[in-house]
Amino acid sequence: MVLSSVFCCATIYERDESAYATSWKAACSSPSKTKLYHVPKPLPWVQPQDVQDMLWRRHVYNNAFISLRRVFKEEFEKYENNEGLEELKRLEREELDRLLDANNKRNEANAIERAEREKVKAEALRLKILEDIEKTLEKEDEDIQKREIEVQEAIRLSANFVTKYNLEEKILEALENPTVFDFAIDLEGKKFYLDEPDKYILGLPKVQKGRSYDRTRVRKVEAVNPVA
């Protein structure tokens, strides 16, 4: 951008050198002493402090503009005969190379830091996965032990199961050991079991008549010793 401005101003300078010098001198000249620190009388609707502030800002702007003109003139004189153009290009290339090297070094440092962070995260993830696997294995071991106990209990109880292989034996055992699971209960919650039935029915079975076989009517009478 500065170089294009230099070329543009060089063309203007070649067209009218005298006019450029005159305008340059007029722009760089400082105001007269009578107007340098003169503060114009403010208008009725303008505050005096606002006028002073604007005057100060104008002086700052003029000084900055004069400094820029001086720098521009020095650069123009330096590159007027294209003698410093190659030097400028060389400086730009060196600066670009320096910036690229700095960027590469920064990228390498960031890559190393990123690799370290990823390594730490991977290690933490590995430990977490191992911990989860260990917990899962412990839970599975507990389930296996519980299932083994259940299976052993089922095997122990299966010794009395009726299967097609011991069906005849179980039938004979049931006939030899008849069991009655019926019982009566009275209002007090007492249970009355029937007598053990006969192994084999001999003759006709007994027929219940009225409440003669009602076990709830059977009560044991305890002997009471008379008081002397």
Side-chain angles (χ1 to χ4, degrees), residues 1-13:
M1 182 176 180
V2 175
L3 191 59
S4 60
S5 301
V6 170
F7 290 153
C8 180
C9 290
T11 305
I12 297 173
Y13 185 79

Side-chain angles (χ1 to χ4, degrees), residues 58-179:
R58 180 173 179 80
H59 289 167
V60 172
Y61 171 78
N62 290 336
N63 292 333
F65 195 75
I66 291 171
S67 300
L68 290 175
R69 282 179 177 272
R70 185 181 299 110
V71 172
F72 178 76
K73 183 179 180 180
E74 292 176 357
E75 291 184 355
F76 178 77
E77 292 176 354
K78 183 177 180 181
Y79 301 109
E80 183 176 6
N81 299 325
N82 293 333
E83 295 177 355
L85 186 59
E86 296 297 331
E87 181 68 16
L88 179 62
K89 291 181 179 180
R90 185 184 64 80
L91 293 176
E92 289 180 351
R93 286 195 299 269
E94 291 180 355
E95 184 178 5
L96 179 61
D97 294 338
R98 181 178 59 80
L99 293 176
L100 290 176
D101 293 339
N103 187 40
N104 292 333
K105 291 180 180 179
R106 182 178 179 182
N107 290 337
E108 291 176 358
N110 291 337
I112 294 173
E113 293 179 359
R114 183 168 56 254
E116 292 294 333
R117 290 196 301 269
E118 291 178 355
K119 184 178 179 181
V120 172
K121 290 182 180 179
E123 183 65 19
L125 181 61
R126 187 181 68 85
L127 294 177
K128 186 177 183 302
I129 292 174
L130 291 177
E131 184 179 359
D132 294 341
I133 292 174
E134 185 176 359
K135 290 181 180 179
T136 303
L137 292 176
E138 291 178 356
K139 186 177 180 180
E140 290 180 355
D141 291 339
E142 293 178 358
D143 293 340
I144 290 173
Q145 293 177 1
K146 187 184 297 183
R147 298 297 181 271
E148 287 180 353
I149 295 174
E150 293 178 356
V151 170
Q152 292 176 0
E153 183 67 17
I155 292 173
R156 185 182 65 80
L157 296 176
S158 65
N160 297 324
F161 289 173
V162 178
T163 62
K164 63 179 181 179
Y165 303 105
N166 60 356
L167 181 59
E168 296 292 337
E169 181 182 354
K170 292 297 181 180
I171 291 174
L172 294 176
E173 182 180 353
L175 292 175
E176 292 294 332
N177 301 293
T179 303

Side-chain angles (χ1 to χ4, degrees), residues 178-185 190-198 206 208 211-218:
T179 303
V180 178
F181 297 97
D182 296 336
F183 61 88
I185 187 171
K190 296 180 181 180
K191 294 181 180 180
F192 299 91
Y193 292 90
L194 297 177
D195 297 334
E196 293 183 0
D198 297 332
K206 296 180 181 180
Q208 181 177 354
R211 298 178 62 86
S212 60
Y213 289 91
D214 192 349
R215 302 299 297 173
T216 59
R217 297 176 61 84
V218 178

Side-chain angles (χ1 to χ4, degrees), residues 223-228:
V224 180
N225 296 326
V227 179

